[in-house]
Amino acid sequence: MQSPFELDRRAFLAMLAAAAPVGSAYAQGTPRKGGILKVSAASNPSSLDPTTGGAGSDHIFLYTMFDTLVAFDYATLQPIPGLAESWTYDDPLTLTLNIRPGVVFHDGTPCDAAAVKENLDRNRFDERSNVKPDLSTVADVAVTGPLQLVLKLKQPDTALPLILSDRAGMMSSPTAFKALGRGHDRAPVGAGPWKFVSWADNERVIVTRHDRYWRAGMPFLDGVEFQVIPEVNTGLRSVIAGQNDFVYFLSPQQKQIIDRAKNLTAVTGPTLYCVQFYINTARGPMGDVRVRQALNHAVDREEFNRATMNGLSEPATLTLPSAHWAFDKQMAQAYPYDPDKARKLLAEAGFKDGLDIQALGYTDQRHVQRQEVLIEQYRKVGIRLKFTNGTIPEMTNAFFVEKKGDIYLSAWTGRPDPSLTYQLMFGAGSFYNASRTEAVPEIGPALLETRRSQDLAGRQKAFAALQKIITENALVVPLVFQFEMDAHGQKVKGYKPNLLGKPKFENVWLEG
Amino acid sequence: MILLRHGRMIRRRAFQIVPVIILATFVVFGLLQLVPGDIAVTLAGENATDARIQQIRQSYGLDRPFLVQYGTWLWNAVHLDLSRSYLSNEPVLGQILHRFPTSLLIVGGALSLSLLIGIPLGVLAATKSGSKLDTAVTSFASLGVALPNFWLAMILVATFALSWNWFPATGSVALAKDPAKALLHAALPAIALAAGGVAEVARQLRSALIEILSSQYVRTLHAKGLSPMAILWKHGLKNVSVTLLTVIGLLVNRLLGATVVVEAVFAIPGMGSLIVHAAIHKDFPVVQGVVLSMVVIVISLNLLIDLLYTLLDPRVGLK
């Protein structure tokens, strides 16, 4: 069956789109080879093996060392060729991948179909694999040629190409992971633009050029050196002082500091990072759709954006930002700020005199500020938020494991394919669905449909139907999509943000 | 010589260290259990499922009873195996040995500054008691005690690192790798830490010295015609040295604790940042390892100071 993921006209256009960042990079001057990019990293990697790691912030390190089978367009997150130069759905249960010729891992092992199969099987079966759920629809992987393999699926799953643009598609050298075992966590061997040199825990990660990288003439940089600085203010100071060249995951409030520093450039762009209230629909009043709808109507997202994000983010009513290919304009209008309607809905639900809600949140200054704004906004409609605060690990455990709190002010970092986002937040049994049940039975079939459609238009339609169910049932309170906020020195050229919000340095070069 | 003379005292202290270590690590372990959060959730990552979290708990032994977990750690520790970090899988002992010199350099620098500045100030203030100089030193000392370390650290960074570029704003360099760079990196954090230390040393020394200089035997020495300088050096400072040692002992303990904040401001990978990161994520082998090493350091330091007391004042001797 013909699919949009074959290297046809659309794929060709997608490849052009992939080249866009490079084109834009050239617009900043002539790229030159050489130099080490020094990056202030916001956290220590959980592991440098994409299969065994778990933190979303690992990707910034992983992208330097690992190429993915499928890449994504920076602006829209549409899938584009990566280590797999093309892919086709021969039928809804058969996905064929054609691997790019001439790719070798950092240790010289060829990245062919056999190597890809070993990676996918490891991801599916290894005891320490954290990406098993991503590949749960794959029944079998068969090598059908030196550079071709066929994935037999248990159920239709057109989300797989974009899933393979994430951890599950990051290819490691089978020679290395078999020889090193657990040691591959700390001495990874991929096929990305740079190869691993060293990792001093909570201190520094260093990578250097992969001379046999498959993209001709790339990468520009001789290497990347990450200095782990968890405190972003300190990270920004290190760039102002010229000790580092680049810092990411800054807050919108830091934009003023960047602008004041004459030697810095601010980079900002939309991301999937959605600040939101998770709702446990299994807890008391949260089971009433009218209460959840009231929560959505009572919040003034524009004001929240101005007060807590310096107006530098995108107010959110859906779980996808407007730049995303699956964004549905119609449903985005579902919850305008309407305190009267919120009060009416609460009264209909039996809470005429208001309602006390137990909320969980974080202790840091930025989150407390968000809480203060929300407490005041909700107070106006009679909802009294009572926050219990702690660290991220504490509160994540409290809400999703111990089932404490009605709502949880946190964020969703996004996934390359939106079906994963919806599955993980609203699917039955999912960890990030505190109730562990589908709030309404229509979710399951709608989720399956998003993975069944064979073309992008079909998938957009399926996501619109799913978003309608989620939105009408108010299963979440999206607040804002936090924009990526980075800062770099003047000599850094060619950097472009991406919608996933996780910086990639593949097209960066250093001037002078 | 001193070890031979005071062997009994050292042995007694060495035995005391055992219950203190057990108590300290047990209390910390218990507190970690009480704090909400589960490292298995962190390790399961963004794709966490209930089954995967349970699998991690089992594989790390987190589902075993509290006392069994603690007992296993203690048994391994007795055999000099501080286990591995849950988060990084790195040996805890290796992490401590890698980071301790960094913290030690900062604490050592801060202590040296505290003594080099604090002692002359304290002596000056005591010998000119009631003068404008005394008032100035006392005011300076009060300010030093009142200034929060983190605030001073930020002011130092803004001025000397960001505006004037005299010192690096963040990071550290190993002393063995490049001594000059290591000292340059440690300078601002050491100054930020030393502010309180200078004040403490100056104040304590001043009050102790004033008391001694106004005592009857010093008056007798004056009457016998000894020069003020000789009285100060031979009788005044020798008598306040025990007080000074006590202050140094307390100061080192305080400085070790204060590195937590200063290391965060300067992004220094030392012991402070190690324990903070581990405690937030409930990486208990690392927390236990750091607590154990701190207890050993503090007790050893106190023992050393006790031994020095006996050298400076034989009356303390073998009581």
Side-chain angles (χ1 to χ4, degrees), chain A residues 218-508:
Chain A
M218 304 293 270
F220 299 126
L221 298 166
D222 284 341
V224 183
E225 199 173 304
F226 295 94
Q227 186 189 356
V228 180
I229 304 180
E231 214 280 310
V232 285
N233 287 309
T234 308
L236 179 56
R237 283 199 293 274
S238 77
V239 180
I240 295 172
Q243 280 182 266
N244 285 315
D245 304 309
F246 191 97
V247 58
Y248 56 90
F249 287 175
L250 297 174
S251 71
Q253 284 80 0
Q254 288 171 304
K255 174 81 166 41
Q256 289 174 334
I257 301 170
I258 303 167
D259 291 342
R260 272 205 305 269
K262 287 170 189 159
N263 59 339
L264 293 194
T265 301
V267 179
T268 183
T271 71
L272 299 180
Y273 189 97
C274 187
V275 178
Q276 62 182 34
F277 273 122
Y278 290 82
I279 301 174
N280 185 349
T281 53
R283 272 177 68 105
M286 294 301 109
D288 192 322
V289 66
R290 292 164 298 189
V291 172
R292 301 196 299 262
Q293 287 172 338
L295 281 170
N296 269 283
H297 273 301
V299 63
D300 183 347
R301 293 168 171 87
E302 295 285 349
E303 185 187 76
F304 183 80
N305 183 25
R306 279 195 302 275
T308 67
M309 301 277 170
N310 280 13
L312 293 173
S313 297
E314 177 185 334
T317 44
L318 298 178
T319 314
L320 295 173
S322 58
H324 197 276
W325 58 267
F327 178 76
D328 182 35
K329 260 186 196 168
Q330 275 187 323
M331 287 318 296
Q333 312 302 321
Y335 291 109
Y337 175 52
D338 192 342
D340 292 333
K341 192 164 183 184
R343 270 188 288 268
K344 192 168 163 247
L345 283 162
L346 280 180
E348 283 172 16
F351 301 104
K352 200 177 154 193
D353 299 325
L355 171 66
D356 291 313
I357 290 182
Q358 300 300 320
L360 303 188
Y362 305 137
T363 45
D364 66 281
Q365 194 185 352
R366 280 168 68 189
H367 282 92
V368 170
Q369 187 199 18
R370 290 173 194 174
Q371 292 165 19
E372 285 167 355
V373 173
L374 291 166
I375 287 168
E376 180 56 20
Q377 289 191 357
Y378 280 115
R379 188 191 60 78
K380 289 175 185 168
V381 299
I383 294 174
R384 297 173 291 274
L385 293 185
K386 306 255 191 269
F387 272 96
T388 302
N389 291 336
T391 63
I392 295 176
E394 284 170 26
M395 291 298 111
T396 300
N397 193 61
F399 190 74
F400 294 115
V401 179
E402 295 169 6
K403 310 292 189 309
K404 290 177 180 167
D406 302 314
I407 57 177
Y408 178 27
L409 180 60
S410 181
W412 179 252
T413 55
R415 295 291 186 279
D417 194 276
S419 65
L420 281 180
T421 288
Y422 289 108
Q423 173 69 47
L424 291 170
M425 274 203 285
F426 309 111
S430 171
F431 178 78
Y432 295 102
N433 176 358
S435 73
R436 299 290 193 273
T437 56
E438 284 175 358
V440 285
E442 293 89 346
I443 290 176
L447 268 168
L448 282 177
E449 199 53 37
T450 63
R451 291 182 165 207
R452 196 187 305 274
S453 307
Q454 291 280 321
D455 57 36
L456 209 59
R459 293 200 77 198
Q460 280 171 331
K461 211 172 149 188
F463 277 114
L466 177 59
Q467 280 173 14
K468 190 165 187 284
I469 297 166
I470 305 293
T471 307
E472 284 179 351
N473 288 285
L475 299 179
V476 62
V477 186
L479 297 167
V480 290
F481 288 100
Q482 186 171 311
F483 273 29
E484 180 177 341
M485 177 64 69
D486 315 313
H488 62 71
Q490 301 295 350
K491 67 175 181 178
V492 177
K493 302 290 175 189
Y495 177 74
K496 296 275 283 183
N498 64 65
L499 193 55
L500 198 58
K502 297 174 180 177
K504 290 177 130 185
F505 305 114
E506 55 188 349
N507 300 313
V508 170

Side-chain angles (χ1 to χ4, degrees), chain A residues 46 54 56 127-128 130 134 182 186 201-203 227 229 234 237-238 241 243 394 397 413 415 431-432 436, chain B residues 35-36 38 41 43 45-48 50 52-53 55 60 88-90 95 98-99 162 169-170 264-265 269:
Chain A
S46 63
E127 191 196 349
R128 296 178 62 236
N130 274 340
D134 287 3
R182 211 180 165 103
R186 302 192 66 88
D201 213 34
N202 275 301
E203 196 175 334
Q227 186 189 356
I229 304 180
T234 308
R237 283 199 293 274
S238 77
Q243 280 182 266
E394 284 170 26
N397 193 61
T413 55
R415 295 291 186 279
F431 178 78
Y432 295 102
R436 299 290 193 273
Chain B
V35 172
D38 184 353
V41 175
L43 292 171
E46 290 194 316
N47 280 351
D50 290 331
R52 176 79 183 123
I53 291 167
Q55 185 195 4
Y60 283 89
S88 68
N89 198 35
E90 287 282 274
Q95 288 188 317
H98 177 68
R99 284 165 172 256
L162 301 186
T170 60
V265 175

Side-chain angles (χ1 to χ4, degrees), chain A residues 141-221:
Chain A
V141 180
V143 175
T144 51
L147 294 171
Q148 188 182 68
L149 60 165
V150 171
L151 275 63
K152 284 286 178 193
L153 309 180
K154 295 173 193 163
Q155 63 185 55
D157 190 0
T158 49
L160 266 178
L162 271 173
I163 287 173
L164 295 176
S165 75
D166 205 347
R167 284 179 179 275
M170 291 182 184
M171 296 293 105
S172 304
S173 163
T175 314
F177 65 66
K178 279 191 280 193
L180 296 171
R182 211 180 165 103
H184 192 253
D185 285 9
R186 302 192 66 88
V189 180
W194 296 279
K195 57 186 176 186
F196 174 78
V197 176
S198 64
W199 174 14
D201 213 34
N202 275 301
E203 196 175 334
R204 215 167 283 274
V205 175
I206 300 173
V207 295
T208 190
R209 177 191 298 282
H210 173 32
D211 290 322
R212 297 172 70 189
Y213 187 51
W214 62 271
R215 283 174 72 190
M218 304 293 270
F220 299 126
L221 298 166

Side-chain angles (χ1 to χ4, degrees), chain B:
Chain B
M1 181 67 184
I2 188 170
L3 292 176
L4 285 174
R5 274 178 58 203
H6 304 304
R8 199 173 146 206
M9 179 185 177
I10 294 168
R11 274 198 302 277
R12 199 176 65 231
R13 285 302 184 88
F15 280 115
Q16 279 175 359
I17 207 171
V18 176
V20 173
I21 285 175
I22 292 176
L23 189 67
T25 54
F26 185 78
V27 168
V28 170
F29 184 72
L31 287 173
L32 273 181
Q33 296 288 314
L34 290 175
V35 172
D38 184 353
I39 193 167
V41 175
T42 308
L43 292 171
E46 290 194 316
N47 280 351
T49 60
D50 290 331
R52 176 79 183 123
I53 291 167
Q54 192 51 35
Q55 185 195 4
I56 291 171
R57 279 195 195 120
Q58 278 173 356
S59 66
Y60 283 89
L62 297 167
D63 56 346
R64 292 178 303 167
F66 167 81
L67 285 175
V68 174
Q69 287 187 52
Y70 177 74
T72 308
W73 174 83
L74 191 62
W75 180 252
N76 291 334
V78 167
H79 294 87
L80 298 178
D81 174 10
L82 292 186
S83 190
R84 285 175 177 266
S85 159
Y86 287 155
L87 289 173
S88 68
N89 198 35
E90 287 282 274
V92 173
L93 186 61
Q95 288 188 317
I96 291 170
L97 292 176
H98 177 68
R99 284 165 172 256
F100 183 64
T102 308
S103 297
L104 191 65
L105 181 63
I106 299 168
V107 171
L111 184 66
S112 304
L113 286 173
S114 302
L115 298 178
L116 284 173
I117 303 170
I119 292 174
L121 284 182
V123 172
L124 272 177
T127 51
K128 309 279 181 192
S129 177
S131 68
K132 282 183 183 172
L133 184 72
D134 181 24
T135 313
V137 170
T138 313
S139 307
F140 174 76
S142 301
L143 191 69
V145 171
L147 280 182
N149 292 130
F150 71 90
W151 181 84
L152 184 61
M154 297 229 237
I155 296 297
L156 290 171
V157 171
T159 311
F160 295 103
L162 301 186
S163 297
W164 297 347
N165 268 320
W166 289 1
F167 295 94
T170 60
S172 67
V173 174
L175 194 62
K177 194 177 168 190
D178 187 338
K181 267 194 178 175
L183 291 173
L184 200 67
H185 274 83
L188 291 186
I191 293 170
L193 272 184
V198 170
E200 211 168 307
V201 170
R203 277 160 56 122
Q204 296 288 349
L205 198 64
R206 175 188 173 276
S207 57
L209 202 54
I210 286 176
E211 195 182 327
I212 286 163
L213 293 179
S214 57
S215 62
Q216 284 191 352
Y217 82 90
V218 169
R219 238 178 291 160
T220 311
L221 291 171
H222 276 293
K224 285 172 78 178
L226 240 68
S227 72
M229 197 53 83
I231 292 171
L232 177 68
W233 281 105
K234 285 185 181 171
H235 300 276
L237 286 178
K238 191 170 182 188
N239 277 302
V240 295
S241 57
V242 172
T243 308
L244 190 62
L245 265 183
T246 310
V247 174
I248 290 173
L250 293 171
L251 191 57
V252 172
N253 294 344
R254 199 175 61 77
L255 291 174
L256 278 171
T259 54
V260 171
V261 176
V262 172
E263 284 179 11
V265 175
F266 289 96
I268 293 167
M271 296 284 275
S273 54
L274 180 67
I275 197 169
V276 167
H277 185 257
I280 287 174
H281 294 284
K282 297 191 80 176
D283 191 354
F284 113 87
V286 176
V287 175
Q288 294 288 84
V290 176
V291 169
L292 174 67
S293 52
M294 288 295 181
V295 168
V296 171
I297 290 166
V298 169
I299 291 177
S300 306
L301 186 75
N302 288 346
L303 176 61
L304 179 70
I305 285 172
D306 284 352
L307 292 172
L308 290 175
Y309 280 158
T310 62
L311 276 185
L312 293 168
D313 185 354
R315 288 172 302 174
V316 176
L318 302 170
K319 276 179 191 172

